[in-house]
Amino acid sequence: MRIAIIGYGTGGQAAAVALSREGHRVEVFEQAPAPGPVGAGFLLQPTGLSALWRMGLLDDVLRHGAPIERLFGESHRGHAVMDMRYRDLDARLFGVGVQRGALFALLDAAWTEQRALHAGRRIVAIDPDAGTVRDEAGETHGAFDLVVVADGAASRLRTTIAPPAFDRPYPWGAHWCLVPERDWPFVDELRQRYVGARRMVGMLPVGTRPGDATRRISFFWSVPTDAFDTAHDAAQWRRDVAQVWPEAADALCDTQVPEGLAIARYRDAVQHRWHRGRAVLLGDSAHAMSPQLGQGANMALLDALALRDALHAHAALPDAFAAYERARRAHVGIYHFWSRWLTPLFQSERDRVAALRDRVFHPLNRLPVSRGQSLRVLTGTRRGWFGVVPLESEFLDALDAAAAQRSPDAPVVSSSA
């Protein structure tokens, strides 16, 4: 087929790689004149790593990323709120902190078959029935056999497919940046510190990226969207961060404020339908959600492979789209629920609710049943209320081999064995 993909983020990149390898002719339309990563870093969960393994990219990701064994959050008074270790679910599991620039570069390099990337082309309209797309200069492209809409959480094209069941921006976002790892002591942990629900600092080791061997940490600072410009008072902004976590503030000593900070905004979007005619939604354009569970990139990777598999199994587009949507809705639905429920506990003005969180979360998650369920949610392996996303035994063996090669002197791993 001749396929158009709108958007060259993680979902669009993964779809370009997966579909072109099936022999389809893929053309990507990206509004940025010089496509590149957006954001600092994120945590690849076992589900996302499994998708990359199926694409043959696990070795490269492990070579650059930082293996994460523990997810730990505490109040500013030092009380543990969250303490999760992957090994409590399966001894072979771990997450990987990765720079967005690293994953972007690896996916970009993997797209080698029939590559056609149209940069600086902002698509403003699509005709799902005709399979055509129109850019802001008024030029029409196509007709295509299939149009994949992967233009992100703030998609302006999703309503062409179907009216949203729910679509709203979150009133809270974050300041992000990358800082050198230096002597940061928690090299295999995602660490967060909270002051009620109003302030949150996070530090996630994210390793290196192609062309840059400096190991880095992804820093994020929770902030209401109407207060993004508070960073213009750099001295006060640094004092605010230091009040919550002095060591994290010290790690930002070389960061220019506000110039060195990126802004992240979030949405919660649920679609009645993911497809119409020849067009289909993928990634955040289909199911944007709060970042509390950090599943956006992982879900996009899984979407790309699910769409590839559905097209491979079904000759007719309506059947393939229905199978793709059915498979992915069963997975993402529970994450919409949990993300929406958890967000007020971590990013809101509900400090009394956060005080209850500080007292209840950690003791509750020490119970074996609760701990197992929480780990299922955090690792991306929960499917609906009671189902589980299976992880291939060969993939788990690859993770196990990677862990076996790890040593205190070399936290960067490779699963090539």
Side-chain angles (χ1 to χ4, degrees):
M1 291 189 294
R2 186 185 179 199
I3 299 176
I5 298 175
I6 302 172
Y8 201 52
T10 300
Q13 285 188 292
V17 174
L19 295 175
S20 65
R21 288 177 176 177
E22 290 282 291
H24 303 299
R25 292 171 294 147
V26 175
E27 297 183 41
V28 173
F29 297 85
E30 166 56 43
Q31 64 180 351
V38 177
F42 55 87
L43 182 59
L44 284 170
Q45 298 290 0
T47 46
L49 292 172
S50 174
L52 291 165
W53 170 75
R54 281 182 277 160
M55 296 172 70
L57 296 176
L58 181 62
D59 286 356
D60 292 331
V61 169
L62 294 177
R63 190 172 297 114
H64 288 286
I68 301 299
E69 305 282 356
R70 184 188 188 195
L71 314 176
F72 183 79
E74 63 182 350
S75 74
H76 66 294
R77 295 188 175 91
H79 301 305
V81 176
M82 174 183 68
D83 190 358
M84 299 286 182
R85 298 174 188 267
Y86 288 91
R87 66 168 181 256
D88 291 339
L89 186 62
D90 189 304
R92 296 167 291 182
L93 291 181
F94 54 88
V96 174
V98 63
Q99 296 182 37
R100 286 191 177 272
L103 186 60
F104 181 91
L106 295 174
L107 287 170
D108 184 65
W111 183 25
T112 57
E113 289 88 352
Q114 305 186 64
R115 180 185 174 100
L117 174 58
H118 306 288
R121 294 277 188 170
R122 181 170 175 265
I123 301 301
V124 297
I126 61 175
D127 185 332
D129 297 316
T132 58
V133 303
R134 178 167 53 84
D135 63 33
E136 62 183 349
E139 184 177 350
T140 298
H141 306 267
F144 296 96
D145 300 303
L146 167 62
V147 178
V148 179
V149 179
D151 57 341
S155 172
R156 298 182 180 181
L157 300 173
R158 62 162 66 99
T159 56
T160 305
I161 306 300
F166 189 86
D167 185 6
R168 71 174 184 187
Y170 276 108
W172 290 71
H175 286 138
W176 292 79
C177 69
L178 292 173
V179 298
E181 186 179 282
R182 294 196 180 95
D183 57 352
W184 184 252
F186 310 111
V187 295
D188 62 352
E189 300 181 14
L190 165 61
R191 285 252 165 175
Q192 297 177 339
R193 188 169 292 186
Y194 322 109
V195 179
R198 297 171 189 262
R199 293 189 171 183
M200 174 171 60
V201 177
M203 297 288 277
L204 171 67
V206 289
T208 65
R209 66 174 183 266
D212 181 2
T214 302
R215 299 185 62 78
R216 300 185 187 275
I217 295 174
S218 183
F219 161 90
F220 63 91
W221 169 249
S222 177
V223 63
T225 55
D226 59 6
F228 276 143
D229 60 359
T230 56
H232 288 292
D233 186 344
Q236 184 59 53
W237 186 89
R238 291 184 188 277
R239 285 193 294 270
D240 289 343
V241 175
Q243 286 177 356
V244 180
W245 199 349
E247 294 81 4
D250 290 343
L252 274 74
C253 61
D254 295 330
T255 301
Q256 296 295 312
V257 178
E259 297 83 0
L261 300 175
I263 289 176
R265 301 176 185 271
Y266 309 111
R267 299 188 75 86
D268 188 357
V270 178
Q271 286 292 116
H272 282 298
R273 292 187 64 191
W274 291 10
H275 61 91
R276 175 187 157 199
R278 304 183 194 180
V280 65
L281 300 173
L282 184 145
D284 282 345
S285 64
H287 45 70
M289 62 186 76
S290 156
Q292 295 305 325
L293 292 172
Q295 294 293 333
N298 297 278
M299 294 292 182
L301 291 167
L302 292 169
D303 282 0
L305 295 191
L307 179 60
R308 177 202 66 184
D309 294 344
L311 291 170
H312 189 86
H314 300 276
L317 274 185
D319 295 336
F321 287 166
Y324 158 70
E325 182 174 342
R326 185 167 56 250
R328 294 303 298 134
R329 274 191 186 276
H331 189 202
V332 302
I334 191 65
Y335 286 91
H336 263 127
F337 172 84
W338 282 114
S339 294
R340 199 173 295 135
W341 181 80
L342 285 170
T343 294
L345 301 181
F346 293 91
Q347 287 185 304
S348 72
E349 297 180 352
R350 303 177 185 178
D351 285 340
R352 292 185 178 179
V353 175
L356 180 63
R357 171 205 70 194
D358 293 349
R359 295 189 183 96
V360 171
F361 258 44
H362 185 49
L364 183 63
N365 283 313
R366 294 180 69 181
L367 301 175
V369 173
S370 176
R371 190 176 190 83
Q373 296 301 318
S374 296
L375 278 166
R376 283 287 179 199
V377 172
L378 289 170
T379 57
T381 54
R382 170 59 65 212
R383 182 184 177 95
W385 286 104
F386 305 107
V388 174
V389 176
L391 296 174
E392 300 90 338
S393 59
E394 295 89 347
F395 162 68
L396 292 173
D397 289 342
L399 287 186
D400 202 27
Q405 293 183 41
R406 211 177 307 158
S407 72
D409 306 314
V412 180
V413 298
S414 169
S415 65
S416 56

